[in-house]
Amino acid sequence: MHIEASGMYLTKMMEWMWSTSLLNARNPKYAPRDYDAVRKKLLQTAATVRFTNDDRLTEKWWMPQRFTKGKKVEINQAARTFAEQVAEQGPDRWGVMIAKVRAARIQKKQAIIALAHTMLDLHITIDTATAPKPGDIIIARVCKRAGESGLTALEWAAFPVTEAWIPALSEHERTLLSALEERNASYVKPMPTTWQVNEDIRVPNCILRYHEQSIWMFIDETCDQANQPLKTQRKSWRWNTTQFSTLPELPS
């Protein structure tokens, strides 16, 4: 994958990495994912990304290791090393980080994000976006500004995830995916920016693998969506949230 080094589309890149790493699929036959497994898969995928100037993403990349007391010095040193690499402002002095949000402090239009597994903070502007919540995955193109103890996001995007590390792009979607996980279901969460099917076909919120067939699951969050007929010929399930606030009965 090639992307522009100076104007990265972080949401698209994040969704592409999640899909390429197969982190958008849940299969109860495999062991539950943990932070280490997710980090390993993302690092492998990052190695395949090049910028238009031919730099590899891994040359500007950082995702903290899982924090343990035994590795405290090593982990904090890795964070300091990454911060030093982006210490000077300029077109080539930035890095890309993915981390889990531990806490967020809001100060007017600024938020200071405490990152899990590291002592570094991330400073973000929240003029047009909601501050990330604890447990969210955040991806940011960052720089290091003089006088700040942490990093400053030049661009950022946040993704809430379920217990299975599946991106849930709305609260209704989280409700659906979490219910499927409670039933130990196998499913795929299609990512909107990587959806390759005919553009006339609406992207399903989830594709449930049910026995020997697939069920496309749709969530109508607006009246326009609710009034729009589904063009797919696949077996489908639909939740009209404009009429029903609770989750309808799932396929049994």
Side-chain angles (χ1 to χ4, degrees):
M1 180 186 183
H2 279 74
I3 58 176
E4 291 288 341
S6 59
M8 293 166 23
Y9 296 94
L10 294 180
T11 297
K12 182 175 182 179
M13 188 175 86
M14 185 74 155
E15 292 187 0
W16 180 85
M17 291 182 69
W18 231 257
S19 296
T20 302
S21 303
L22 301 181
L23 290 172
N24 64 326
R26 179 186 186 274
N27 190 330
K29 294 181 180 179
Y30 302 134
R33 293 189 184 115
D34 60 13
Y35 182 87
D36 293 329
V38 171
R39 182 177 183 271
K40 180 179 179 180
K41 283 182 174 288
L42 291 177
L43 284 170
Q44 291 172 342
T45 300
T48 70
V49 179
R50 287 182 179 273
F51 300 107
T52 50
N53 62 3
D54 215 33
D55 287 342
R56 288 186 179 273
L57 174 59
T58 46
E59 295 172 6
K60 294 180 176 291
W61 163 278
W62 176 66
M63 184 174 182
Q65 290 179 277
R66 180 193 294 275
F67 186 87
T68 61
K69 289 183 178 179
K71 292 186 176 181
K72 180 178 179 180
V73 174
E74 175 187 342
I75 290 170
N76 286 337
Q77 180 56 50
R80 285 193 294 270
T81 298
F82 177 75
E84 289 169 2
Q85 290 173 350
V86 296
E88 298 178 15
Q89 294 190 58
D92 298 320
R93 303 299 298 178
W94 51 265
V96 179
M97 52 139 283
I98 291 180
K100 200 164 189 178
V101 176
R102 179 163 51 86
R105 304 194 306 274
I106 311 300
Q107 299 176 347
K108 296 182 179 180
K109 293 184 178 181
Q110 298 289 319
I112 300 176
I113 307 300
L115 304 174
H117 306 296
T118 180
M119 301 302 291
L120 277 180
D121 288 338
L122 177 67
H123 299 255
I124 65 173
T125 300
I126 53 173
D127 287 339
T128 58
T130 303
K133 299 179 179 61
D136 287 359
I137 301 299
I138 188 168
I139 179 171
R141 187 166 70 94
V142 299
C143 69
K144 182 76 170 66
R145 290 179 175 163
E148 286 188 351
S149 59
L151 300 167
T152 296
L154 302 171
E155 300 174 280
W156 65 276
F159 295 83
V161 293
T162 68
E163 291 295 321
W165 293 82
I166 308 292
L169 306 184
S170 72
E171 284 304 313
H172 291 117
E173 198 167 88
R174 176 187 287 276
T175 298
L176 169 61
L177 299 183
S178 297
L180 292 175
E181 289 167 17
E182 288 178 4
R183 294 181 57 167
N184 212 26
S186 177
Y187 67 84
V188 175
K189 163 67 189 122
M191 307 308 294
T193 61
T194 60
W195 184 248
Q196 299 296 324
V197 179
N198 188 317
E199 292 182 358
D200 291 336
I201 298 177
R202 182 175 152 193
V203 182
N205 295 82
C206 177
I207 298 177
L208 175 63
R209 294 167 175 165
Y210 187 68
H211 297 302
E212 295 183 356
Q213 62 180 337
S214 296
I215 300 175
W216 287 21
M217 311 186 83
F218 297 88
I219 301 175
D220 300 326
E221 299 198 270
T222 66
C223 290
D224 286 343
Q225 286 182 331
N227 294 329
Q228 183 181 25
L230 299 178
K231 296 182 180 180
T232 176
Q233 300 299 312
R234 309 275 184 147
K235 184 174 181 180
S236 61
W237 173 97
R238 201 166 184 176
W239 177 14
N240 182 352
T241 63
T242 66
Q243 293 185 357
F244 305 101
S245 58
T246 57
L247 186 70
E249 183 177 355
L250 295 171
S252 59

